[in-house]
Amino acid sequence: MTPSGVALVYPAPAWSRSRQAGLAFRAAAEADIAFLSRLYASTRMEELAVTDWSEAQKAAFLDMQFQAQHTHYHKHYPQADWLVVSHAGQDIGRLYVERWPSQHRIIDIAFLPVHRRKGYGGALLRDLIDEACLAGKLISIHVEKNNPARRLYVDLGFVVVEDKGVYDLMACAPADP
């Protein structure tokens, strides 16, 4: 349990790297919407920095985009795990993943800027890859072509399986026995 009484969950028992990195997970709740919106906004700041919009215009745009994404994800991935990632009792990111019969789809993985490039994403992705491989499934994710994390995906064995314009569908297949 967290100090707030919310139970921490690990979606799979084999998530040892995430545990070793000090990551914990809990199901996202309505009370997390403000955090999730702020996290989403942090992933878009760089692209909005080049606009001449006021801070109020940027905030309104980001709120609209977050709401649209949130609605889209819940409509198209109804059985997903919607997880808030925490470290040392502080919410630092999100992981959305849906497990289909043929594959595991990472819908979204994101960390607040101060928690990026600390190995958390790599640990979590390796655990997700292991989980999918143990189930004999591939794991996939849509990645923007200019996403800095793309290099990590490639290093972990993800390859482009479909060009979706701005995004590529990338997948990592289980290793041959």
Side-chain angles (χ1 to χ4, degrees), residues 80-148:
D81 284 333
W82 311 101
L83 302 174
V84 173
V85 182
S86 63
H87 184 268
Q90 179 184 13
D91 295 341
I92 66 166
R94 71 182 186 181
L95 170 66
Y96 300 160
V97 61
E98 184 158 284
R99 293 162 180 88
W100 293 327
S102 63
Q103 66 182 283
H104 291 185
R105 170 66 54 88
I106 301 169
I107 303 161
D108 193 80
I109 180 173
F111 293 95
L112 290 170
V114 70
H115 297 284
R116 295 177 194 153
R117 301 183 194 270
K118 293 189 174 193
Y120 301 146
L124 182 49
L125 287 166
R126 284 177 179 89
D127 284 345
L128 287 163
I129 292 167
D130 287 351
E131 177 191 325
C133 286
L134 286 171
K137 300 177 186 180
L138 64 87
I139 188 161
S140 62
I141 185 170
H142 287 98
V143 181
E144 287 182 337
K145 293 180 188 300
N146 64 350
N147 184 331

